[in-house]
Amino acid sequence: MNLLLQNARIIDPSQKLDASGMDIEIRNGVIARIGQGLKPDGDSRDLAGAVVAPGFFDMHVHLREPGQEYKETIESGLGAAMAGGFTGVCCMPNTEPSISDPFVVSYIKEKAAGHLVDLTICGTMTKDRAGEELSRMDALAKSGIRMISDDGVALRSSQMMRRVFEYAKMFDLLVTQHCEEHTMTVKAPVNEGRVSTKLGLTGWPSVAEEIVLSRDILLAEYVGGVRYHAAHLSTKGSVRIVREAKSRGVAVTCEVTPHHFALTEDAVERHGTMAKMNPPLRTQEDIDAIIEGLKDGTIDCISTDHAPHATHEKETDMVSAAFGIIGLETALPLGITHLVESGRLSLVEYITKCSVNPRAALRLPQVSVKEGTLANLTIFDPKAKWRFMEQDIRSKSHNTPFIGQDFVGKVIGSINNGLSHWPR
Amino acid sequence: MGKQVGVWVGCFGAGFKRRKSWLGEGSSVAKLILRAESLKAGIFAHLVRETPPTRRDLLTTEHLPVETITRLLDRSDYFVEMLRIPSPFQKLRTLEGRTVANLFFENSTRTRISFELAERRMGADHVTLTPSGSSMTKGESVLDTVRVIEAMKVDAVVVRHSVSGVPGFLAGHLPTHVHVVNAGDGAHEHPTQALLDAAELRAALGDLRGKRVVIVGDILHSRVARSNVWLLKKFGAEVVLVGPSTLLPRHAEKVFGVEVSWKMDDALVKADAVMMLRIQMERMAGGFFPSLEDYSSRYGLSASGAGARRSASCVILHPGPVNLGVELDAEVSGGEQSLVLKQVKRGVAVRMAVLEWMFESETSSRVE
């Protein structure tokens, strides 16, 4: 692939680079030259007003394959990732069968081969996510796994969690927890607060997240030498707990989803089951704490928790309905609209959360906008105003409350592995 | 389920307009969408108000205008009088030719019979679906069940379901002409119960403004409490929610704008009425209190024991069925201040009034 990108603003946090009016010459998928006033020698694209950043990486997506291809496939999921401007994603292991064995890893890898979007795979931490036996971490690590998690459920037993930490550190695996104290969240579709009280639905209290997060941090610290990552945190208390742990030097990282900083529990009254998430949408106070945590570095990454579900799984009552929404295609516009455009985060800070930090947490090689490296780029217009429509959706499922929403910030394209994609 | 069904994704709120074009303006789906478009609020609220100009539903008391409530109560007074006439009762013909389906996804005897009698007395045909022996237990979704019933041509559905929001959700998915009545959804609302309670309170106490109504029991799981709170506040009553701290929902003071307490004795001192909620034994498995004895000693009304500090004129309500010896003892339940049996009688009258009001919007163009 040969292409000249013209008049772009390059923002690359890894090089502390923010330069406007730059041209990038790509030859055979590699960045050959970066400069000003480069002469086109073949295809070129004028990117005036657009930002070119190191490719975005989403470390928490559900691609549903194998086993639930009616919701999403690796192909449709990676297509959605590409449409959302991501050049890499990590898929979670709650498939059927779960990613507890290397043969599932090879199956997934084969399906994802040759795509613009790099696929990293997360294995389970216990066999079939049942919480009873350790997964085959050695074999999983050898097949290229860098992260393990029983995502969707938290590991209930503290003793088992300790063993997971002890065993995982032999293979330098990042241990990721879905923090939920399950005895406190039985049939609880919404946050415990205003909406649960008003509607008479069982509440999923913030403390149920914080209990497991605290326990894990204590165990990780006790075991030592292990890297812990808390998935999709949602509460003010969680931000405080991680901040305090980091200040003590515990090797903890964490992420938040766009919907947890874009919506409060009030969305349940407007959107019904489309606003049913796990963890649930919280309050404005929690959102303020999350944004503060993003700002001060307590929260490392923005991940989507892209969770495709078929229509009939959402078109039902609040208790039976599935948790979660698709997120890959709304992540960037939600981030720009709610974090950057609102003045809470700079573009450099935002890109750091979407590109640099996820790869760092997973210990993947960093990507840079640098001569001589493979072009791995996310290109977006941070000022474009547009409306998200159902026909835009590339994911196989359409479960999102954001249809019809006006956004600021739009993906223009992405380049990786010698391929480029320009949605419109 | 292919792409066609995808149209319903996100059908709770935003995003209707864009589908109009390819559905065709005349299709029933398009009509439904057009109606839904005019409804701005959320699923639990958006079909509650009288506003869809073509249809009246009763989904909550929270969104029911006070003028409508007053009219329903007035009409229920009329029907109570009428029901006093000795048998044989002259069936009304108001709803002749109308069919009402009672869809009780959750078991109920009293409410179901009360609705059935009201339907019969208003002249409607009716069918009733209960959980046992229906497809509900075979994994059919609630929406499918209701769509099937609707396809057999009914004019209204009366819905009871164990999950909050289901009647509102169904109202959003049913064609324009099918009315929806909430007969109790989860711990959310039970509007006809609150209407009948208010009618009896009004009969006993007169104007409810400034009257102190104490609601006692399992507030956390009670749709009766929620519907009553919204309704009583609209009439200016002072509402107090009382129960053990494990059964009081968080932030109830702020959410409902009422007083909340776990001290029944204190709350009852100046009470004009006390509404005792039924303890659902099956829900108490969660260990909300140590034993029924402990509960009733603190939150039960007996002739001599707990709650004895209430004034002699304080009236007593209970939505039934009473767990005798738990919420009320037999003496209190059958006593002079008890409205329990009057409530039952009123239930039929109120439901007749609701049915009449719902269908009235179709037979005349009169707007209140």
Side-chain angles (χ1 to χ4, degrees):
Chain A
M1 184 195 64
N2 297 324
L3 182 62
L4 182 66
L5 306 176
Q6 295 176 301
N7 301 315
R9 176 180 173 192
I10 302 174
I11 302 180
D12 183 355
S14 69
Q15 310 176 68
K16 295 197 164 47
L17 176 67
D18 183 350
S20 295
M22 302 301 287
D23 299 342
I24 303 168
E25 188 186 330
I26 298 166
R27 287 204 168 274
N28 300 318
V30 174
I31 299 175
R33 261 200 310 166
I34 300 175
Q36 286 179 314
L38 301 185
K39 290 263 161 14
D41 173 23
D43 286 350
S44 68
R45 241 172 208 274
D46 184 11
L47 294 179
V51 171
V52 173
F56 281 14
F57 191 97
D58 183 347
M59 66 187 290
H60 196 124
V61 303
H62 297 273
L63 297 184
R64 306 296 188 208
E65 189 175 356
Q68 294 185 310
E69 289 84 353
Y70 69 97
K71 296 177 194 244
E72 192 84 284
T73 62
I74 289 162
E75 192 190 349
S76 67
L78 293 183
M82 194 163 67
F86 292 97
T87 64
V89 297
C90 178
C91 64
M92 302 310 287
N94 57 337
T95 48
E96 292 168 14
S98 67
I99 310 176
S100 301
D101 257 299
F103 80 88
V104 187
V105 177
S106 356
Y107 173 88
I108 294 171
K109 273 188 175 167
E110 201 172 298
K111 291 259 176 178
H115 206 279
L116 183 152
V117 180
D118 298 322
L119 182 60
T120 300
I121 301 168
C122 176
T124 63
M125 55 192 191
T126 67
K127 199 174 175 205
D128 292 328
R129 300 162 60 242
E132 281 159 14
E133 298 165 55
L134 293 175
S135 66
R136 298 177 57 201
M137 292 183 206
D138 193 359
L140 286 170
K142 280 185 183 129
S143 69
I145 294 280
R146 290 168 179 274
M147 173 164 103
I148 51 170
S149 175
D150 283 355
D151 185 53
V153 289
L155 185 46
R156 290 172 186 244
S157 155
S158 303
Q159 178 69 335
M160 196 64 197
M161 193 63 211
R162 167 205 174 141
R163 289 192 186 128
V164 166
F165 278 138
E166 286 171 341
Y167 207 73
K169 77 176 180 183
M170 296 198 290
F171 314 105
D172 194 28
L173 290 163
L174 179 67
V175 177
T176 291
Q177 184 83 282
H178 164 120
C179 299
E180 175 176 358
E181 215 295 283
H182 291 282
T183 64
M184 297 184 78
T185 60
V186 178
K187 289 189 177 178
V190 296
N191 179 45
E192 182 165 281
R194 193 190 71 80
V195 173
S196 67
T197 291
K198 190 175 158 201
L199 300 179
L201 290 163
T202 305
W204 193 134
S206 49
V207 71
E209 174 176 302
E210 294 150 11
I211 285 170
V212 173
L213 176 67
S214 309
R215 176 201 72 176
D216 289 355
I217 286 173
L218 293 173
L219 281 172
E221 197 175 10
Y222 180 73
V223 170
V226 68
R227 288 179 300 127
Y228 174 70
H229 180 80
H232 43 57
L233 292 181
S234 67
T235 77
K236 183 183 177 180
S238 293
V239 177
R240 181 176 51 75
I241 290 161
V242 172
R243 183 178 289 131
E244 192 271 341
K246 283 188 168 182
S247 76
R248 276 186 295 115
V250 184
V252 52
T253 52
C254 67
E255 67 189 25
V256 290
T257 73
H259 48 270
H260 283 112
F261 61 67
L263 296 173
T264 66
E265 59 180 343
D266 296 356
V268 171
E269 285 187 277
R270 271 198 317 283
H271 299 291
T273 59
M274 286 300 178
K276 181 182 173 184
M277 324 281 190
N278 194 2
L281 299 171
R282 305 286 185 187
T283 66
Q284 190 57 49
E285 211 182 315
D286 296 300
I287 290 182
D288 293 343
I290 283 169
I291 293 177
E292 196 48 49
L294 283 164
K295 185 84 190 164
D296 73 8
T298 301
I299 300 170
D300 304 272
C301 311
I302 298 169
S303 310
T304 64
D305 194 9
H306 178 78
H309 291 294
T311 304
H312 69 271
E313 293 167 309
K314 276 293 196 183
E315 195 186 59
T316 181
D317 66 79
M318 279 298 286
V319 172
S320 320
F323 285 105
I325 58 169
I326 55 169
L328 284 164
E329 295 167 74
T330 47
L332 183 134
L334 284 169
I336 299 290
T337 306
H338 291 272
L339 302 175
V340 179
E341 192 62 16
S342 65
R344 308 294 292 269
L345 247 60
S346 69
L347 273 170
V348 177
E349 289 166 327
Y350 175 65
I351 292 166
T352 306
K353 311 286 176 191
C354 299
S355 176
V356 180
N357 291 352
R359 288 191 177 86
L362 285 162
R363 298 211 169 151
L364 289 168
Q366 284 298 338
V367 303
S368 305
V369 191
K370 207 188 251 176
E371 289 179 5
T373 64
L374 184 76
N376 184 331
L377 308 172
T378 292
I379 302 154
F380 62 96
D381 182 344
K383 292 290 173 193
K385 290 187 164 66
W386 64 295
R387 181 169 292 173
F388 179 61
M389 303 296 269
E390 189 165 6
Q391 59 262 31
D392 298 336
I393 296 174
R394 286 285 303 273
S395 169
K396 198 166 180 178
S397 292
H398 291 195
N399 53 312
T400 167
F402 296 115
I403 291 169
Q405 283 265 302
D406 291 325
F407 288 130
V408 182
K410 192 169 193 213
V411 173
I412 294 177
S414 51
I415 298 173
N416 189 24
N417 297 330
L419 302 167
S420 67
H421 177 69
W422 310 94
R424 262 163 312 273
Chain B
M1 293 232 179
K3 288 279 177 202
Q4 281 291 332
V5 187
V7 66
W8 296 109
V9 173
C11 175
F12 293 118
F16 286 100
K17 203 161 270 167
R18 70 214 138 78
R19 303 190 185 109
K20 229 188 298 181
S21 55
W22 61 266
L23 280 168
E25 297 282 347
S27 74
S28 63
V29 177
K31 275 182 204 149
L32 171 55
I33 289 168
L34 285 173
R35 194 194 80 228
E37 249 177 348
S38 67
L39 308 164
K40 298 292 183 211
I43 54 162
F44 302 106
H46 70 179
L47 295 137
V48 181
R49 289 161 296 163
E50 282 176 85
T51 29
T54 51
R55 185 173 95 188
R56 287 175 178 172
D57 293 332
L58 179 65
L59 300 186
T60 67
T61 57
E62 186 193 353
H63 301 92
L64 204 58
V66 73
E67 306 75 46
T68 308
I69 298 171
T70 305
R71 250 211 57 213
L72 290 170
L73 301 189
D74 290 349
R75 287 300 286 167
S76 81
D77 285 346
Y78 171 81
F79 288 127
V80 162
E81 280 310 307
M82 212 170 78
L83 293 171
R84 230 184 268 279
I85 300 165
S87 293
F89 175 78
Q90 196 64 46
K91 212 156 94 168
L92 297 173
R93 303 179 63 179
T94 318
L95 299 190
E96 204 165 53
R98 307 281 190 183
T99 306
V100 181
N102 302 305
L103 308 178
F104 281 70
F105 294 91
E106 182 188 72
N107 265 316
S108 147
T109 310
R110 296 180 168 224
T111 308
R112 176 171 59 79
I113 289 174
S114 182
F115 267 108
E116 285 175 350
L117 285 173
E119 287 149 11
R120 220 170 271 198
R121 285 172 182 165
M122 294 305 284
D125 291 323
H126 63 93
V127 288
T128 297
L129 194 71
T130 54
S132 54
S134 79
S135 54
M136 291 182 238
T137 48
K138 296 172 195 160
E140 187 181 28
S141 86
V142 62
L143 186 57
D144 281 347
T145 307
V146 175
R147 277 179 180 157
V148 166
I149 300 288
E150 190 279 321
M152 296 181 199
K153 170 98 186 68
V154 299
D155 302 293
V157 289
V158 174
V159 182
R160 165 166 291 197
H161 199 282
S162 60
V163 179
S164 298
V166 166
F169 163 70
L170 294 174
H173 286 74
L174 282 170
T176 324
H177 63 276
V178 182
H179 299 273
V180 181
V181 184
N182 180 2
D185 62 327
H188 180 217
E189 286 236 26
H190 191 354
T192 55
Q193 179 70 43
L195 286 167
L196 75 89
D197 290 340
E200 280 312 311
L201 280 172
R202 200 176 70 159
L205 307 174
D207 186 3
L208 296 180
R209 184 156 298 279
K211 296 290 191 304
R212 186 172 167 90
V213 181
V214 181
I215 305 179
V216 179
D218 180 0
I219 309 293
L220 184 65
H221 300 105
S222 177
R223 51 192 172 218
V224 175
R226 283 173 181 78
S227 277
N228 264 295
V229 165
W230 297 123
L231 197 158
L232 291 168
K233 279 172 56 81
K234 283 179 201 223
F235 284 99
E238 187 188 319
V239 183
V240 190
L241 299 177
V242 173
S245 48
T246 46
L247 291 172
L248 294 171
R250 281 172 77 83
H251 318 304
E253 298 95 332
K254 233 166 66 188
V255 172
F256 300 119
V258 296
E259 195 183 319
V260 176
S261 165
W262 59 71
K263 295 177 183 164
M264 185 177 79
D265 264 11
D266 294 354
L268 284 187
V269 169
K270 286 179 182 162
D272 297 291
V274 54
M275 192 177 285
M276 307 298 287
L277 301 173
R278 178 176 161 81
I279 286 294
Q280 302 279 352
M281 307 291 187
E282 63 275 16
R283 284 206 187 107
M284 292 304 114
F288 292 94
F289 47 78
S291 70
L292 281 177
E293 289 70 32
D294 281 59
Y295 178 84
S296 65
S297 71
R298 282 184 66 90
Y299 301 104
L301 285 189
S302 57
S304 52
R309 285 165 69 203
R310 68 182 187 278
S311 84
S313 62
C314 176
V315 293
I316 295 156
L317 295 89
H318 191 295
V322 178
N323 293 308
L324 280 180
V326 180
E327 302 104 34
L328 303 174
D329 69 4
E331 203 174 327
V332 174
S333 175
E336 231 164 66
Q337 291 310 106
S338 166
L339 302 180
V340 174
L341 275 179
K342 285 183 174 169
Q343 286 174 279
V344 175
K345 202 173 287 181
R346 178 70 70 163
V348 178
V350 152
R351 288 169 183 124
M352 290 168 76
V354 166
L355 291 165
E356 176 191 60
W357 162 80
M358 252 177 14
F359 284 107
E360 173 193 66
S361 60
E362 287 173 11
T363 48
S364 81
S365 57
R366 188 169 60 88
V367 177
E368 284 170 331

